[in-house]
Amino acid sequence: MKAELMRAMMDLQALRQLQPGKTMVSQQSSAFSFTDMLEAALSNQNSEQQQSTVTVPPINATNETHTSPVVHTRSASYSSYSLEIDGYIEELSDKYNVDPKLVHSIIKQESGYKSDSVSGAGAMGLMQLMPATASYLGVKDPFDPGQNIEGGVKYIKQMIEKYDGNTELALAAYNAGPGNVDRYGGIPPFKETQNYVSKVMGNYLA
């Protein structure tokens, strides 16, 4: 575009120089006029090009911020994969002010979330309540998930309070009875009870 403009201006200057009666002064003046015209034309052209320049934002630029939806999922360590059982645990843990994670850990160790589980010693249901303990806690049907969980949560709450919030002693009492914990002044030296406390606490703190 600049070359075409310069060519046209030079043609115009050449035509002016061919006109008769031109003096040195007029030719010099004409040369000045040509220079001024050329600079003005180039200046105008540059100005127009600058005005026509448009800044294009990057393709990915946007005023909106897109974030991935947050999906809340329950850890497999604290789920029975049963909405009914999970619901009872949440409700009754809240009722007795016990950490639901602890209740899940006890049930996982005691019965593996099997509501019809019966141990060799006769403990029954999800939280493996012995018949005398179930009766003491007011549980009429130890195989009913709701009744069994309420009895078990109520019992572990009593043990937590008895041992001033010491979760390990409360678990030892849940497994071996508070009489043995009191007798030995701590976790009884029974391999079964020691393993029980270790596994439940491991799941609870995982």
Side-chain angles (χ1 to χ4, degrees):
M1 192 65 183
K2 289 182 179 180
E4 294 176 359
L5 181 59
M6 292 179 66
R7 200 160 32 243
M9 297 294 290
M10 292 175 68
D11 291 343
L12 178 60
Q13 178 68 7
L15 288 173
R16 288 180 176 177
Q17 290 178 349
L18 290 175
Q19 293 179 0
K22 290 288 184 179
T23 64
M24 182 63 68
V25 175
S26 65
Q27 289 178 359
Q28 187 176 14
S29 175
S30 178
F32 289 146
S33 177
F34 170 74
T35 302
D36 294 340
M37 291 174 64
L38 180 60
E39 291 180 352
L42 292 176
S43 177
N44 290 337
Q45 186 178 14
N46 290 335
S47 177
E48 291 176 358
Q49 288 178 346
Q50 290 178 356
Q51 291 178 359
S52 63
T53 301
V54 178
T55 302
V56 180
I59 294 176
N60 293 331
T62 175
N63 291 329
E64 297 181 359
T65 301
H66 298 283
T67 57
S68 300
V70 177
V71 179
H72 297 280
T73 58
R74 181 188 296 276
S75 169
S77 299
Y78 304 119
S79 175
S80 67
Y81 298 103
S82 166
L83 293 177
E84 179 187 24
I85 292 175
D86 286 350
Y88 282 132
I89 293 173
E90 292 294 328
E91 176 186 348
L92 295 168
S93 295
D94 183 67
K95 179 179 179 180
Y96 292 99
N97 193 28
V98 175
D99 190 341
K101 293 181 181 180
L102 178 61
V103 178
H104 272 287
S105 298
I106 292 172
I107 294 176
K108 182 178 180 179
Q109 183 62 33
E110 290 284 0
S111 66
Y113 292 105
K114 296 176 182 179
S115 60
D116 60 351
S117 178
V118 179
S119 73
M124 302 171 289
L126 289 167
M127 298 193 74
Q128 291 290 278
L129 303 178
M130 292 296 288
T133 305
S135 178
Y136 162 73
L137 295 169
V139 177
K140 295 180 179 180
D141 182 1
F143 297 108
D144 177 84
Q147 290 187 43
N148 189 286
I149 293 172
E150 180 160 19
V153 172
K154 185 188 297 184
Y155 189 53
I156 191 64
K157 175 64 175 180
Q158 291 176 359
M159 296 302 100
I160 290 172
E161 291 179 342
K162 176 178 175 62
Y163 296 106
D164 299 321
N166 188 315
T167 304
E168 292 185 346
L169 292 182
L171 289 172
Y174 190 95
N175 176 261
N180 281 318
V181 174
D182 294 342
R183 182 178 300 112
Y184 291 101
I187 299 175
F190 309 146
K191 186 174 181 180
E192 177 188 342
T193 300
Q194 292 178 346
N195 288 338
Y196 175 84
V197 172
S198 177
K199 289 181 179 178
V200 174
M201 288 299 297
N203 288 328
Y204 177 46
L205 299 175

